[in-house]
Amino acid sequence: MKPELIFDAKAELAEGPTWDEKTQTLYWLDILGKRIHAGMDLVAQLDDFIGCLALRQDGNLIFGKRASLLDLNLSTSQQSVLASVSEVATNRINDGKCDPTGRFIFGTMDIAEEAASGFVYSFDGRQITRLMEGIRISNGLTWSPDGKTFYYIDTPTREVKAFDYDLGTGQIANQRIAIRVPDGMGWPDGMTSDMEGNLWIAMWGGAQVTRWNPNTGQLLEQIPVPALLTSSCIFGGKDRNELYITSARKALSDVELQKYPLSGGIFKVTTKFEGMPTFRFG
Ligand code: CA
């Protein structure tokens, strides 16, 4: 499994890959560039940090910008605030995605990556519910194929936590550690899952995506990526066996950029596995 560069985007911090199966389009964002992209096309230039996005049932987008969730009409480019969180001004929304029933789950973090001032929330379209607190860098989240287990990464912990997930209420319970990521592999960042129930994790600073069995904590596969700061991944393609991978250039030295000149690009690798679908909001 060898990733190929599909967009030489040279993004500061590409993230939030989201697959639209109806149009076979990859959406992604540049957190620091404050941009939303569809493939190589620029969909929106924003005025603050964007952390995550998801498709709505009608094909438009919901996204998390600084402390708010907004709606973006792709036809008119009109944006409107759906809901906001009340947090310190030095926080911003980071990674997020929809659960199998269409709730939007998202986390927040200290922009300076120092204080454990972040939270994890669930938005059902009417109200925001707090699920977790004391988070440092809220990152990858995904579900088991049956939707009954929620997996979550607070990056500095180097752990993937598992929770029982109530699809009816959206509540989490019974926190346990599913995976401990050893030193030297990079930091666990964005995450998705496959239909066998295994987890795919982008390794920030590790130039790779890894596949793990969350029931045993065992590392199953390592896929080298020619970008040091591998940030997130999602399955797409007609058979949902193509893994799309985002990366960053942020804060890389000249020496690192010479070694990883494709940093900030979007990559694709065809796998032997069928990934979980990207769920829609609402
Ligand atoms: Ca991230």
Side-chain angles (χ1 to χ4, degrees):
M1 291 191 277
K2 193 169 181 294
E4 57 169 312
L5 180 75
I6 54 166
F7 305 129
D8 191 9
K10 295 210 164 27
E12 279 298 296
L13 179 48
E15 269 281 1
T18 300
W19 183 254
D20 183 342
E21 80 286 356
K22 288 182 185 158
T23 61
Q24 296 282 299
T25 302
L26 178 75
Y27 286 89
W28 56 280
L29 50 89
D30 183 346
I31 294 179
L32 301 177
K34 305 169 183 171
R35 295 185 191 100
I36 299 174
H37 295 266
M40 270 308 274
D41 295 337
L42 180 65
V43 167
Q45 174 70 60
L46 307 171
D47 58 2
D48 208 336
F49 301 124
I50 172 173
C52 49
L53 63 79
L55 286 148
R56 303 181 65 115
Q57 295 293 349
D58 63 5
N60 289 308
L61 302 182
I62 176 175
F63 65 98
K65 187 183 80 168
R66 196 58 185 248
S68 296
L69 301 177
L70 291 92
D71 174 85
L72 172 63
N73 184 315
L74 291 169
S75 308
T76 64
S77 296
Q78 191 176 349
Q79 299 170 26
S80 53
V81 175
L82 300 170
S84 298
V85 294
S86 301
E87 294 192 6
V88 290
T90 46
N91 274 10
R92 67 167 174 84
I93 292 175
N94 201 37
D95 207 340
K97 66 172 58 150
C98 286
D99 80 4
T101 72
R103 296 183 193 88
F104 193 63
I105 315 303
F106 64 100
T108 59
M109 60 176 277
D110 176 18
I111 292 170
E113 303 183 1
E114 288 168 4
S117 57
F119 299 87
V120 177
Y121 301 97
S122 173
F123 178 58
D124 64 3
R126 297 185 308 279
Q127 61 182 23
I128 291 178
T129 304
R130 188 178 280 181
L131 299 181
M132 281 183 245
E133 60 185 26
I135 304 297
R136 290 269 302 282
I137 305 179
S138 192
N139 255 319
L141 58 166
T142 192
W143 285 263
S144 57
D146 66 5
K148 292 179 180 171
T149 305
F150 173 61
Y151 298 103
Y152 174 74
I153 293 169
D154 179 1
T155 292
T157 67
R158 307 192 71 90
E159 294 167 353
V160 179
K161 293 200 174 68
F163 300 81
D164 297 343
Y165 193 78
D166 187 326
L167 285 165
T169 65
Q171 290 295 330
I172 57 172
N174 190 22
Q175 173 182 306
R176 63 266 187 197
I177 297 169
I179 294 164
R180 290 180 202 272
V181 175
D183 289 346
M185 296 183 67
W187 297 87
D189 193 340
M191 174 167 60
T192 191
S193 39
D194 62 38
M195 295 306 284
E196 294 178 13
N198 293 312
L199 306 183
W200 298 68
I201 304 175
M203 308 304 292
W204 181 263
Q208 60 184 315
V209 171
T210 49
R211 179 172 182 255
W212 305 76
N213 181 333
N215 300 311
T216 63
Q218 188 188 3
L219 176 64
L220 303 174
E221 313 251 0
Q222 290 177 279
I223 302 169
V225 178
L228 183 61
L229 304 177
T230 318
S231 57
S232 191
C233 54
I234 196 80
F235 280 98
K238 289 218 157 29
D239 299 321
R240 226 189 302 128
N241 64 337
E242 297 167 352
L243 190 73
Y244 291 83
I245 303 163
T246 53
S247 70
R249 293 177 79 78
K250 172 191 162 177
L252 287 182
S253 68
D254 290 345
V255 172
E256 288 167 330
L257 285 171
Q258 272 175 14
K259 188 174 176 194
Y260 299 101
L262 305 182
S263 290
I266 313 295
F267 302 87
K268 178 177 92 171
V269 58
T270 302
T271 75
K272 298 168 287 185
F273 306 97
E274 183 187 359
M276 286 272 280
T278 296
F279 301 112
R280 289 175 181 248
F281 179 72

